[in-house]
Amino acid sequence: MSKSGICESAVAIFAANERRRFIESNPKSVALAERAKANLFNGVPMHWMSDWSMPTPLFVQHAKAARFTDVDDHEYIDFCLGDTGTMFGHSPVPIARAIAEQANKGLTTMLPGEDAVVCGELLAQRFGLPFWQVTATATDANRNVLRWARAITRRNTLLVFDGCYHGTVDDVMVRCRDGKTVHRSGLVGQAYDMTQYSRSIPFNDIQALEAALAQCDVCALMCEPAMTNIGMVLPDPGFMHKCRELTLKYGSLLIVDETHTISTGIGGCTQLWDLQPDFFVVGKPIAGGVPCAVFGFTEQVALAMTDAQENVRKDSGGHGHSGMGTTLSANALAMRCMRANLEEVMTQAAYDYMLPLAAGLAQGLRYLFKQHRLDWSVAELGARCEFQFCATPPRNGAEAEAAFHDSLQIALHLYLINRGILITPFHNMTLCSPQTSHMDLDRLIGELDGALTALLAIPGARVAST
């Protein structure tokens, strides 16, 4: 039996109807998908773009604010927003203006401009860490931070939480199974054993956390303040402060990745909960949708980084190569957009609007599930909320994964897409932007109500949940 309380055979009938509707309603997307197969692997420019709930990829024509239009001229309310990449809406006016202004001033030169200086000042003021570096993606930022952590501590092992998400850093592609660290399933072309220098433990498990750190071989704990990619998992009260306490006790660094959790507030969970990390990472939304990420660090860490560089130079007998870089990092366009985003878009006023809106959505979802007699839970984190097919919010990645009902999720997503609403794929997460309206929330809840009404009307749809 599924925890969702919905019978698989009913889901199959419901999903088949929605797939037919999508194919009939999107002839141009279907045609483009077929044409794309000739030159794009799986018919898409990045393979995971074919993993959505649609039977064929949906092709976008243009996007603005909290909406986008596909090539068949259907308009959608967007609660995905590039999975946080466009958290403040598609093409905010200050970002569009910054792109236009920079377009004729040079896009990348491998040299800094004044925008870089201003961005450093703004980041320090906002997040409370004095020193910053800029990369193209949060994956790059996390890779760089991990190298620094290993160099500073002269330890090799990285500690992560089971079900974590830190981009495509190789070292985090591990899971915890029966108390042992194993490779994440589905990895392609994995050539070496990552469990040699990566360790995975359950989230919210203080005993496992201390046991892992007490081996005194952990360079850093890399974590999200709340897990967001395996289904939202919130920290127990005091858990994140215990992470700080125990990493200090055992000589490990604390890396806080807020690429998703920046939805919590203008300074993220780091400021809201006073987490005091050694390194802080944020990616996707920091430049208003232009590829860019940053990592900040303390003065003590900066001094240790300088010492580590000097030690490497002495050991190698020359300048060498740090293993960190990419020539497009901190390019002029990204820095201009980041400055505009920090000054004019990613503001306190934006959060003051987004946060209560998302809280209202979460409340509406809870009421809806109660009306349909479904034991589903709703988790909230700032402008973000998510519904899960279990009665009690999960406390770790394994519990969140156990609540998955993939076919049901896919069917519900497709129903919403067929009616002009997009939520984050691969789980049931929504994000409210400064451009999202109360009417948009009503539409989402109303359409989801329609989906559940139709699904539960199928004979035998409802089963006892487990």
Side-chain angles (χ1 to χ4, degrees), residues 159-164 200-203 209 221-223 227 239 243:
L159 182 62
V160 295
F161 290 121
D162 180 48
C164 69
S200 178
I201 61 171
F203 194 66
L209 174 65
L221 167 63
M222 180 179 286
C223 62
M227 302 186 75
F239 177 71
C243 290

Side-chain angles (χ1 to χ4, degrees), residues 155-353:
R155 298 174 176 181
N156 291 329
T157 300
L158 174 68
L159 182 62
V160 295
F161 290 121
D162 180 48
C164 69
Y165 181 71
H166 302 289
T168 55
V169 178
D170 283 0
D171 305 73
V172 307
M173 297 295 177
V174 291
R175 296 295 305 270
C176 181
R177 292 288 185 262
D178 299 321
K180 296 181 179 180
T181 301
V182 300
H183 283 191
R184 179 176 170 177
S185 63
L187 295 180
V188 174
Q190 187 58 48
Y192 63 91
D193 183 3
M194 293 180 298
T195 66
Q196 182 179 5
Y197 293 125
S198 295
R199 190 172 299 148
S200 178
I201 61 171
F203 194 66
N204 278 324
D205 189 332
I206 294 175
Q207 185 177 356
L209 174 65
E210 182 153 21
L213 291 169
Q215 298 178 49
C216 294
D217 60 349
V218 173
C219 66
L221 167 63
M222 180 179 286
C223 62
E224 297 176 279
M227 302 186 75
T228 61
N229 209 62
I230 195 161
M232 192 183 294
V233 181
L234 303 180
D236 290 343
F239 177 71
M240 287 307 303
H241 290 105
K242 203 66 179 178
C243 290
R244 174 69 287 184
E245 176 189 325
L246 291 174
T247 49
L248 286 171
K249 178 179 178 180
Y250 292 106
S252 302
L253 298 175
L254 177 62
I255 303 166
V256 173
D257 180 354
E258 295 237 36
T259 297
H260 282 160
T261 60
I262 197 65
S263 64
T264 306
I266 195 166
C269 296
T270 294
Q271 289 290 79
L272 186 64
W273 299 342
D274 190 27
L275 300 184
Q276 300 182 20
D278 298 294
F279 285 101
F280 170 94
V281 174
V282 64
K284 301 177 186 179
I286 199 66
V290 172
C292 187
V294 297
F295 63 94
F297 41 96
T298 65
E299 185 173 1
Q300 183 179 3
V301 167
L303 292 172
M305 288 163 65
T306 301
D307 289 342
Q309 282 181 310
E310 189 59 33
N311 290 333
V312 168
R313 291 192 184 105
K314 288 178 181 177
D315 293 343
S316 65
H319 177 66
H321 192 287
S322 69
M324 296 173 277
T326 73
T327 54
L328 291 179
S329 295
N331 65 76
L333 178 63
M335 300 309 297
R336 183 71 191 90
C337 289
M338 192 201 307
R339 178 176 178 177
N341 192 55
L342 291 170
E343 289 180 334
E344 303 179 65
V345 179
M346 196 176 179
T347 63
Q348 186 60 55
Y351 281 98
D352 288 344
Y353 177 81

